[in-house]
Amino acid sequence: MRRIRSIISYDGTNYVGWQVQPNGVSVQELLEKALFELTGETIRVEGSGRTDSGVHARAQVAHFDTNARMAADKFAIAMNMHLPPDIRVLYTEECDPAFHARFSAKTKQYSYTVQLGAHADVFTRMTALHLHYMPNVEAMQNAAAAVIGTHDFNAFKCSGSSMENTVRTVTRSEWTRNGQYLTYTVEGNGFLYNMVRILVGTMLEIGSGKRPESDMQKAIDSGKRTDAGATAPAHGLCLMRVIYPDFDTEEVLRRERP
C-alpha cells in the first residue's frame, strides 16, 4: 500500500464543502470518484481541513492510500481527466505512510477578499465580498493585530459547536489593500469551525463603525459568541497555504511553475 500526497485547488461555489455530505456534492466525493474510476479501488481521501460550502482553496492538501502502480506524479494528470474544471489536482507525490494531511499540518494560511466600489465586479463576485462603502481600514488593522498570539478563540467558533479545546496560536493577522481589493491574511496552527469568517465579520463591523476597535479584544477576553460580530459570507474565504515539517505548498507550487 502506497500513500500519495497531493495539492488540490478548487472553486467551492458549486459544492457543499470539502467533506462528503448527504445534502449535495462535495469536493472529497468527486476526488474519491475520480480515484475509483482510475484504480477500481474504493479510496478515502483525507484533507488538511474541511472547508465550508462556498469556500475556495488555492492549496488544499490531501492524502490517500492505494495499491495502484501508477507513477506517483502521474496521478495529478490522470485524476484531472475525471474531474470538473473547477477542481484541479496540482501536484502528487508518494510520501511517508506516517504522513497525515490533517494531523501532520503545522501551519495553515487563509485569505479573505473584499471588493470595494459602487458596483460588484462580475469577475470576482463569487470569490470576493462586495462592499459599496469604504471601511475604516486602520481600525480593522488594529483589530487584526489583537488576534496575533495564543488566545482562547471560543467567541469565534460557530454557535452550537462541540469543540472543547478552543485555544489557537495565530502568527499573522493583517489587512492589505491592492486597488479596489482588501485582503485579510491570517496564519496559525489551526482554526475553529467558522473562526476566520467570524473574525472577518467582527472586523468589518468595526470598519463600518458598528463596533469600536476594542470589541475584538473584548470578545477574545470574554469568550462569548455574542461579543463577536456576524459570520462573514463564505465566498470571500480561501485556503491559501498549508505547511508541514517537510512540505510547504507555497514552495512546491513555486517550484512547479513553468
Side-chain angles (χ1 to χ4, degrees):
M1 186 71 73
R2 309 158 63 204
R3 179 153 293 188
I4 306 298
R5 173 165 56 192
S6 61
I7 301 176
I8 302 156
S9 180
Y10 51 87
D11 178 336
T13 303
N14 295 322
Y15 304 105
V16 293
W18 166 267
Q19 189 177 16
V20 172
Q21 298 178 45
N23 61 322
V25 179
S26 71
V27 177
Q28 183 185 43
E29 175 187 344
L30 293 184
L31 290 168
E32 292 175 353
K33 181 180 178 182
L35 284 169
F36 180 78
E37 292 171 349
L38 279 175
T39 68
E41 300 173 307
T42 300
I43 295 174
R44 184 69 170 178
V45 178
E46 297 284 354
S48 69
R50 300 172 179 176
T51 53
D52 297 341
S53 176
V55 174
H56 317 291
R58 174 178 176 270
Q60 170 73 281
V61 175
H63 77 263
F64 59 88
D65 296 331
T66 179
N67 287 310
R69 302 178 69 177
M70 181 186 299
D73 63 334
K74 302 301 182 185
F75 272 99
I77 296 173
M79 291 174 69
N80 285 336
M81 294 177 67
H82 296 272
L83 290 167
D86 53 5
I87 302 175
R88 292 291 89 176
V89 181
L90 304 179
Y91 177 83
T92 49
E93 68 173 9
E94 190 162 351
C95 65
D96 189 315
F99 172 83
H100 194 286
R102 180 182 176 190
F103 300 123
S104 300
K106 298 299 181 184
T107 303
K108 294 180 184 177
Q109 183 186 106
Y110 284 87
S111 70
Y112 194 97
T113 304
V114 175
Q115 183 237 325
L116 307 171
H119 308 288
D121 185 334
V122 297
F123 296 108
T124 62
R125 69 190 188 282
M126 304 309 295
T127 57
L129 173 66
H130 172 242
L131 291 184
H132 65 275
Y133 62 90
M134 180 65 192
N136 184 337
V137 180
E138 182 179 357
M140 291 164 59
Q141 192 72 281
N142 291 338
V147 175
I148 297 174
T150 300
H151 305 289
D152 185 339
F153 286 98
N154 191 68
F156 301 92
K157 71 177 182 182
C158 178
S159 298
S161 170
S162 59
M163 179 67 69
E164 294 183 3
N165 179 11
T166 53
V167 175
R168 298 291 185 274
T169 299
V170 172
T171 54
R172 181 181 178 188
S173 173
E174 63 180 358
W175 287 90
T176 54
R177 184 176 181 183
N178 182 13
Q180 63 176 323
Y181 292 94
L182 289 175
T183 301
Y184 175 61
T185 302
V186 61
E187 188 170 309
N189 66 350
F191 297 92
L192 306 173
Y193 183 61
N194 278 355
M195 175 176 161
V196 177
R197 291 168 59 193
I198 298 171
L199 286 170
V200 171
T202 304
M203 286 183 277
L204 288 176
E205 289 183 12
I206 289 171
S208 70
K210 294 179 181 178
R211 291 176 176 271
E213 286 179 29
S214 57
D215 266 17
M216 181 62 79
Q217 190 63 54
K218 178 184 176 181
I220 292 172
D221 292 341
S222 74
K224 297 178 180 178
R225 178 66 185 89
T226 52
D227 284 338
T231 304
H235 68 279
L237 185 62
C238 185
L239 173 59
M240 297 295 291
R241 182 180 187 181
V242 189
I243 301 173
Y244 299 85
D246 66 336
F247 185 83
D248 179 345
T249 57
E250 187 67 29
E251 292 179 1
V252 172
L253 294 178
R254 187 183 301 118
R255 186 176 70 235
E256 291 295 304
R257 294 187 188 111

